Each structure stands twice: as structure tokens, then as C-alpha cells.
Amino acid sequence: MPSYYTEKLSAERLKRCYDLAPLAVKRYLAAEIAHVSECILSSRRVLELGCGYGRVLRELSHRPAMFVGIDVSFQNLAMARTYTRGSGNVMLLLMDAIRLGFPAGVFDLVCCVQNGISAFHVDQRKLMIEAVRVTKPGGRVLFSSYAEKFWEDRLNWFRIQSSHGLVGKIDEAATGAGCIVTKDGFTATTVTAEQFLNLSRGLGSARSVQVVADSSVFCEIQV
């Protein structure tokens, strides 16, 4: 099904959102990637759900592992192929994160960062179940969303994007409590630590939630 990201906010337009990020957001983005990088450790196969134009993959690909990025946007994947060029350990596939075309137990680490769990606008529980399904026993699954303390910085970032015509005008009356709404139909929610624990209940052998750099909420599931 077409989404805001596939129709209005992919490839070059998506990259511009990150290029325009203020310093506080850039610090958040760097801390998020650093945390995922630390979690890779001895992983041999890593899957990123919703890889976009390859921003995270390019940062992680220095690790000695095989990286697979999936996305539902042709435009994103085309740009990602250029953006990660020179990284011989990156594979890009057109695929829906809630219906992965992989057999069970393939990856050592599956990650879905930058609030993909909300941005995909799919059943969040089913998304987690599918991520766990393709992860090896002993492997890990990572999902991240925004921390409550990061709200003002996040809202400021979206206002900047809106001022550059990348997303619609912010609907100030409908925006609040972790949810950003624009007047052209874009909605960006968040997942709290408590919600992560509820969503991941019964999945894997263990699960934990932690706040990283006062900006990201990470849910980790050990399979």
C-alpha cells in the first residue's frame, strides 16, 4: 500500500530531512547509530528494516558483517545503491518489513531504528513477531523510538522540514503527547518504554528497554 514515505518523502527528499537536522538531532542520530554498532559485536548477518536511502547502512558497513537493507520504496533503494557504493558487504532488497521473504533464523541481528516501528504504519506487534522469526536463536532484535525528553528537539526538526516543504504544515492543534500531525495527512507517533514492553511480551528468551543519550528508546529482544 502506498505511504507518505513512498509517495512524498523518499530518496533525495528524505535525505534533505537529515541534511537539515539541527545539532541536537544530529547528536541523537549519531548516538542511535553508535548504539546499534555496539550491539552488532560478532554478528555475521545483519538486517535493517526500512533502510531508506542507506544512511544507517553506510555508517555500519565498516563492521565485518554482511548487511541486508530492505525498503518498500524503489526510489529509496536506487539512491541507497549509490549511497553505499564501495561497501561490498551491503545487499539491498525491495521488501515489506511485515512480510519478510526470508526463512526463519537467518540473521544474527535485526534492527529497525529511527522510529520505523511507528513510521511504517503497520501492526506493530506483527512487525516485531516477523523480526523475531527471521532472527537466529541467540541473536538480537532492536527497535527504537524517540525518548520523551527529546520531544522539543524532534518537534523543532519537523518544523524545519515543514518550512522547507518536505512535510506539510504542522497541525499545531493536533500535535502533542509524542505525536506530530501535518495538515497534508502525515502522522508521526512514538512508542514508549512501557508500550515496547507490552508489544514484545512473550517474544524471545529475554527483552529489555533502555534510553540512549536521553533521545532514543531502544527495545532489545534476545531470541
Side-chain angles (χ1 to χ4, degrees):
M1 179 182 295
S3 70
Y4 196 97
Y5 282 95
T6 56
E7 293 186 327
K8 298 183 180 181
L9 203 57
S10 63
E12 288 290 351
R13 287 177 63 84
L14 181 61
K15 184 177 183 297
R16 283 191 65 202
C17 291
Y18 290 96
D19 290 342
L20 290 167
L23 182 59
V25 174
K26 290 184 183 296
R27 287 173 177 161
Y28 144 71
L29 295 169
E32 189 179 48
I33 290 176
H35 183 73
V36 175
S37 183
E38 289 174 3
C39 291
I40 290 175
L41 298 176
S42 60
S43 298
R44 292 184 302 166
R45 292 182 181 177
V46 178
L47 172 66
E48 184 190 7
L49 307 179
C51 66
Y53 63 89
R55 178 183 65 88
V56 174
L57 287 172
R58 189 166 79 170
E59 293 294 324
L60 295 177
S61 62
H62 68 282
R63 291 279 192 168
M66 179 64 198
F67 294 89
V68 178
I70 68 153
D71 205 279
V72 294
S73 166
F74 283 105
Q75 292 83 1
N76 274 344
L77 292 173
M79 185 172 177
R81 288 188 179 93
T82 300
Y83 201 68
T84 61
R85 185 174 295 161
S87 301
N89 57 341
V90 174
M91 178 185 296
L92 300 164
L93 299 170
L94 184 72
M95 196 177 295
D96 190 335
I98 207 165
R99 288 180 290 273
L100 296 172
F102 304 111
V106 174
F107 297 96
D108 300 290
L109 178 71
V110 175
C111 63
C112 180
V113 298
Q114 242 287 272
N115 201 37
I117 189 167
S118 294
F120 295 171
H121 290 283
V122 298
D123 185 305
Q124 295 173 346
R125 171 72 176 182
K126 289 182 179 178
L127 179 64
M128 282 191 162
I129 290 172
E130 185 68 346
V132 170
R133 182 187 70 80
V134 300
T135 305
K136 293 178 180 179
R140 295 192 284 184
V141 176
L142 294 175
F143 282 90
S144 75
S145 189
Y146 296 103
E148 185 176 352
K149 287 185 178 180
F150 195 65
W151 168 250
E152 292 298 333
D153 291 311
R154 177 184 171 223
L155 181 55
N156 178 51
W157 184 26
F158 271 89
R159 284 175 173 151
I160 292 171
Q161 294 173 46
S162 178
S163 70
H164 284 79
L166 297 169
V167 298
K169 182 177 177 60
I170 304 294
D171 186 337
E172 300 289 350
T175 293
C179 180
I180 294 173
V181 180
T182 67
K183 293 187 175 181
D184 66 347
F186 178 82
T187 302
T189 60
T190 51
V191 178
T192 66
E194 183 179 359
Q195 289 170 330
F196 266 133
L197 289 174
N198 287 332
L199 285 166
S200 61
R201 192 178 304 279
L203 299 181
S205 61
R207 59 203 169 92
S208 61
V209 175
Q210 70 177 110
V211 176
V212 173
D214 284 336
S215 54
S216 296
V217 178
F218 268 90
C219 176
E220 177 177 332
I221 303 169
Q222 296 181 2
V223 179

